[in-house]
Amino acid sequence: MKKFFRRLLSINPTSITLGITLICFSLFLFDTPFLYKFELKTYDMRFSWRGKIETSKKVVAAVIDEKSLQQEGKWPWPRRKIATLIDKLSDGGAKVVGFDVFFLEPDDNSTLQLLDQIDEQVKTLNIQDRTLSDIIQKNKAVVDNDQLLVNAINRSKSKIVLGYFFQSKEGMAGEITQDEIDQMFNHINNANYALKGEIKRETVATDFYTTEFEPYFPELNIEAIHQVADSSGYINMMASTDGVVRAMPLAMKCGQDYFSPLSVQCVWHYFDNPNLMLVGGRDGHGIQGIRLGEELIPTDEHGKLLVNFAGPPPAYPLYSITDILNDKLPPDTFKDKIIIIGATAVGAHDLRNTPVSPAHPGMEVHMAIIDNILSNNLISQKQGSFEDLLAIILMGFLTGLAVPWLRVLKGTFFVVGLFIFYIFLCRWFFTNQNLWINMIYPLLTLILVYTSSILYHYLVEEKNKRFLHSTFSSYLSPELIEDMVASETTPELGGEARNITAYFTDIQGFSTFSEKLTAPQLVELLNEYLSAMTDILIAEDGTLDKYEGDAIIAFFGAPLEIPDNPFKACKVAIAMQNSLLELRKKWKEEKQLPDEPERNIKNLPSEEWTPGAKWPTIVHHMKMRIGVNSGEIVVGNMGSSMRMNYTMMGDSVNLAARLEEGAKQFGIYSSVSEYTMDMEYLDENGQRKKAWNFVEARFIDRITVVGKSEPVKIYELCALKGELSDQEKKLFQIFDRGMQHYLKRHWDEAIKHFKASLKLERVPDGITTPSEVYIKRCEAFKEDPPVAKGEKWDGVFRMTKK
């Protein structure tokens, strides 16, 4: 016995096999995030291996597609069209109609607003004309699109399920206390505006929670529509750490209640409303699943169901809404089916990254869940199960026992064969049994045991010196280095696309500086300025692309991957503007040295160059414009085979340059796009963040730059979060109110507020200011409106010069 333990504890093939198996066993039990990501990728591959599968044909979609937009007009449509759609589907025998679109605000109907104004004037003038009042009320009923939709839902023979979404605490505007949340829930309940779609708990002791998302407050459809619908279900989806949606939470807890998603609510109505219960875990923690009548829909302990995707989209029947509205489909197309109403048109729908497609319409994810439940075609997840643990042990010991007894070549063939066999075994279980068995940990055990056994063989049994010599000669070969030097190996041309941030700076009116300074003075000034700005750039992990005269061109996020590159760029812009303020103070205070030759060589008058000053007055007022934009940018070694440079290119780069150039038209000096402000990234704690979370910026305009037709929102970057002065805070408030009136075409009110904000502008000594620009623009629009009366204005200002 002692000999056995002594041999076990010594370094030999048996102890190596046992040790590595135990290590992999432990890594599996502790669910190592790095390896779990690889397992997720193998899970995605199994869908590709399996291919497309048949669906139940019980769930179809009525879609807002390109054809519908061409025939019915741009989205959103007047709700009378949705009302007509419900009537058509109801008459066609649809059993359940689910909406993956929202009705968060009342329908903006100018005719109804006019009738309300007439009605109010009749009441104000005390006109006692019953016929006139009846006519007004009747016309209101005809043109009130929201009421038409309410009426359609009320008379529908189909069950109507609305979609809504939960906000996270981070998604809510401003800080909201728990007391305020409780008051909002009370308001909802008091208004008979209860959240439809609750599920009850079967086990009271359930300790239920979600992993990635904590519902904070629901964003519901408007009260009138929400009240008459049969129920509502949330549409929130949870992506894995790699951003891929593989599962859907079938229950969420918000406040003291539990809620179910759109998909579950549709199935619940399809089965004529059986008991819907949340089933707690047997040990009092987590949950087992959702009980729908007598059937249990199993989930993981966090309430998530793996989505069994039928294949890449479109995997389910999709019918254009315009065809439905115009009766171009067979009468029984929707009979006894669940219809999901959503969008597939470009720009009108949400896209999800799923195992079967990187751009999967969110609507089809809900359809997949419905179809999975209806056909009981569910994926079983065996991660953490006895089968996975047994696979790790078998793969380790089969490899550990076989390799020492076989020669190297035979051992390699055996391991390769075992490796391939296990992959096909996992694939077979997934394709034929809907069973997810862990692939990475058993294969990792096999590879590590095999590699360690081979290394042991060469280290111990094939002479240590020969092994060390061959190893070092392979990795530190003088001959290889000599060959590389002799062949003059150079980097290859090419680049890669990344989501990074482009950054442009330029000194305002720099050509004027060269007229007043000598060449050596100009170089001296530029060197001091560029050194200060470059130090700030490099300190925040920025990459200097090039200098073009006084301009700095840089980017953030390459070659080193920087997740928070949008915020880094904003932080640098703020720091550079602050640094320029300090440089201007320094230049203003600097004097010419007593023994130094006269610096005012060009004999500028005293108002342009104060006697004894080191620099002319224009230097004391130097201003710098900055343009920042984020997006997909190609970076890499570019140029010719003779000369290349690591640089960037792409539309996002051009937009950053246009923002810097166009900033002068608004009198701002740090112009940043909405793409930079809104780009999400994960911080070091794995939480989703945006640049908005850390900086203060003022909305300036929605513009199209020269050479581009797509509008973009631009902001004036002002300070880090919480560092605005009292004057700037007041400026933001007044200017924002002016912008609200401007977008509503209330020109006089807008001018009033912009004149007030003009007195508070941040850089009053510039060539112009945003307030001054909008005063002139409003005055021009009063004379020549941007659109004809009655037409909708998109609020976009189209720039005609750089």
Side-chain angles (χ1 to χ4, degrees), residues 133-146:
S133 298
D134 289 344
I135 292 173
I136 292 173
Q137 296 307 318
K138 287 179 180 177
N139 279 280
K140 277 187 182 182
V142 173
V143 301
D144 188 342
N145 289 334
D146 286 333

Side-chain angles (χ1 to χ4, degrees), residues 645-787:
N645 184 36
Y646 190 84
T647 186
M648 60 176 174
M649 64 185 299
D651 282 342
S652 296
V653 178
N654 297 335
L655 180 55
R658 293 287 187 270
L659 291 180
E660 180 270 307
E661 295 164 348
K664 60 188 173 185
Q665 297 189 37
F666 294 95
I668 60 175
Y669 296 90
S670 292
S671 178
V672 58
S673 75
E674 63 180 305
Y675 306 121
T676 296
M677 300 298 288
D678 291 332
M679 181 181 285
E680 279 193 349
Y681 61 88
L682 296 179
D683 65 11
E684 59 270 16
N685 299 319
Q687 295 182 336
R688 294 187 180 278
K689 299 290 184 182
K690 296 180 180 180
W692 270 119
N693 300 126
F694 305 102
V695 300
E696 304 279 6
R698 169 170 53 154
F699 173 67
I700 295 298
D701 205 353
R702 189 164 177 254
I703 65 169
T704 56
V705 298
V706 177
K708 300 283 288 184
S709 59
E710 184 180 357
V712 59
K713 292 179 182 178
I714 61 171
Y715 298 85
E716 180 189 20
L717 190 60
C718 300
L720 294 175
K721 184 66 74 175
E723 293 185 1
L724 286 179
S725 66
D726 291 340
Q727 178 179 320
E728 288 173 325
K729 292 176 183 177
K730 189 174 181 181
L731 168 65
F732 274 35
Q733 294 172 357
I734 298 173
F735 187 84
D736 286 347
R737 285 198 291 268
M739 285 298 300
Q740 292 171 16
H741 287 293
Y742 167 79
L743 293 173
K744 293 177 182 177
R745 291 179 281 178
H746 301 161
W747 310 125
D748 291 327
E749 282 296 317
I751 291 171
K752 174 184 173 183
H753 284 87
F754 288 135
K755 284 184 176 179
S757 64
L758 179 61
K759 301 173 183 177
L760 303 169
E761 279 293 347
R762 302 176 67 245
V763 189
D765 62 339
I767 54 177
T768 188
T769 63
S771 297
E772 186 178 358
V773 168
Y774 275 101
I775 291 170
K776 293 178 180 178
R777 195 186 293 178
C778 289
E779 290 172 347
F781 283 164
K782 282 179 64 177
E783 299 298 325
D784 184 15
V787 293

Side-chain angles (χ1 to χ4, degrees), residues 21 73 89 158 254 289 322 377 386 566 659 791:
T21 303
L89 295 175
S158 307
C254 187
T322 191
N377 191 17
F386 171 77
L659 291 180
E791 292 183 2

Side-chain angles (χ1 to χ4, degrees), residues 278-517:
L278 176 66
V279 182
R282 294 185 178 88
D283 58 356
H285 297 283
I287 70 171
Q288 292 184 54
I290 302 296
R291 189 177 299 283
L292 198 63
E294 297 299 321
E295 296 295 324
L296 177 67
I297 306 169
T299 66
D300 68 8
E301 64 177 352
H302 304 298
K304 292 193 292 187
L305 174 76
L306 285 168
V307 184
N308 192 0
F309 295 97
Y316 301 92
L318 307 179
Y319 298 100
S320 178
I321 288 179
T322 191
D323 288 341
I324 301 172
L325 294 175
N326 293 286
D327 300 319
K328 294 183 178 180
L329 300 175
D332 60 346
T333 301
F334 304 108
K335 185 172 178 58
D336 295 328
K337 290 184 172 62
I338 296 176
I339 291 83
I340 300 298
I341 296 175
T344 59
V346 176
H349 67 305
D350 61 326
L351 295 176
R352 306 287 181 167
N353 188 3
T354 68
V356 295
S357 173
H360 206 131
M363 171 189 66
E364 282 213 28
V365 179
H366 300 300
M367 295 174 71
I369 297 166
I370 294 171
D371 191 66
N372 294 167
I373 298 173
L374 291 179
S375 58
N376 196 29
N377 191 17
L378 306 176
I379 294 176
S380 298
Q381 186 176 11
K382 289 293 184 179
Q383 285 186 294
S385 67
F386 171 77
E387 290 91 337
D388 291 333
L389 297 173
L390 181 63
I392 293 172
I393 295 171
L394 286 176
M395 296 295 273
F397 278 90
L398 282 174
T399 306
L401 291 172
V403 171
W405 292 98
L406 299 172
R407 291 183 179 273
V408 175
L409 186 59
K410 289 183 178 180
T412 301
F413 278 121
F414 173 81
V415 169
V416 170
L418 188 59
F419 188 96
I420 295 172
F421 169 77
Y422 187 73
I423 291 175
F424 275 92
L425 185 67
C426 292
R427 173 181 175 177
W428 185 88
F429 273 112
F430 185 82
T431 302
N432 296 280
Q433 304 295 322
N434 284 343
L435 188 61
W436 177 9
I437 295 178
N438 193 285
M439 186 183 294
I440 287 298
Y441 285 96
L443 293 181
L444 177 65
T445 306
L446 179 151
I447 293 170
L448 291 180
V449 170
Y450 170 73
T451 305
S452 299
S453 298
I454 295 297
L455 289 175
Y456 174 82
H457 177 76
Y458 277 97
L459 282 168
V460 178
E461 300 179 10
E462 297 293 335
K463 298 182 182 179
N464 291 345
K465 287 184 180 181
R466 187 172 66 185
F467 170 77
L468 292 172
H469 175 75
S470 63
T471 301
F472 280 104
S473 65
S474 298
Y475 288 96
L476 300 174
S477 169
E479 292 79 13
L480 179 60
I481 297 173
E482 290 173 3
D483 289 341
M484 291 175 67
V485 174
S487 62
E488 297 181 355
T489 304
T490 58
E492 295 181 356
L493 292 172
E496 62 175 331
R498 288 192 187 183
N499 283 322
I500 66 173
T501 301
Y503 188 96
F504 285 72
T505 76
D506 194 25
I507 296 175
Q508 179 177 282
F510 189 71
S511 58
T512 310
F513 286 69
S514 59
E515 297 172 1
K516 302 182 184 300
L517 296 170

